[in-house]
Amino acid sequence: AKWTPVEVTALVNYLHEHRAECGEAGNFKEITYNAAATAVGHLYNGGGGVKTGKMVATKWAALKAIYNAIEVYRNRSGVHWDNERGADIQGADAAQVWKDHVVQKGNAAIKPFRNGGWEHYEKIHDIFPS
């Protein structure tokens, strides 16, 4: 399903408000996904279809993949990450480290954040059980 940026933000906000319902693996129960679909339903603008609980679960899996890719990168030695500039790649050496990193399996989700942050990082970070 196609999600608008407004729908994604509403979904992240909803799941953040209901983060106590998040399980150990960072997933929610079907009832939470269905409720989230209802909560973002009013944002439907005729494109991408009305969201269902299954669509919410799929989108949440994609958002978790982005979050996890950022976490893998952040935990590397000698790299930079912040929510304003992302990886803030400056210079040829940093560019090569970045290039080598994003081609590795599971790391492609971080590509859009080479020099720009991710507005959902903090809330999604809060959702995961510590």
Side-chain angles (χ1 to χ4, degrees):
K2 183 178 179 181
W3 288 73
T4 66
V6 171
E7 289 173 320
V8 173
T9 297
L11 173 62
V12 170
N13 288 340
Y14 181 89
L15 294 176
H16 186 260
E17 290 169 12
H18 294 85
R19 64 188 174 275
E21 300 166 28
C22 187
E24 286 186 32
N27 293 313
F28 294 87
K29 292 184 178 178
E30 185 177 350
I31 192 167
T32 304
Y33 292 135
N34 290 336
T38 300
V40 301
H42 72 281
L43 299 170
Y44 176 66
N45 64 4
V50 176
K51 305 308 182 267
T52 65
K54 185 172 181 168
M55 290 173 175
V56 167
T58 300
K59 186 61 173 179
W60 177 241
L63 292 168
K64 285 191 331 180
I66 294 169
Y67 173 80
N68 288 329
I70 291 170
E71 286 299 282
V72 166
Y73 185 78
R74 285 183 68 228
N75 289 320
R76 289 183 62 149
S77 178
V79 300
H80 171 85
W81 173 266
D82 70 53
N83 281 331
E84 289 182 25
R85 298 174 305 211
D88 194 28
I89 302 302
Q90 305 287 326
D93 291 341
Q96 188 61 48
V97 169
W98 176 258
K99 182 179 174 186
D100 293 345
H101 179 77
V102 298
V103 298
Q104 295 173 13
K105 184 176 180 171
N107 294 340
I110 197 173
K111 276 184 177 182
F113 309 108
R114 176 182 167 128
N115 287 311
W118 190 36
E119 69 271 25
H120 303 301
Y121 177 83
E122 292 297 331
K123 284 190 176 178
I124 291 177
H125 182 74
D126 284 347
I127 290 171
F128 284 97
S130 32

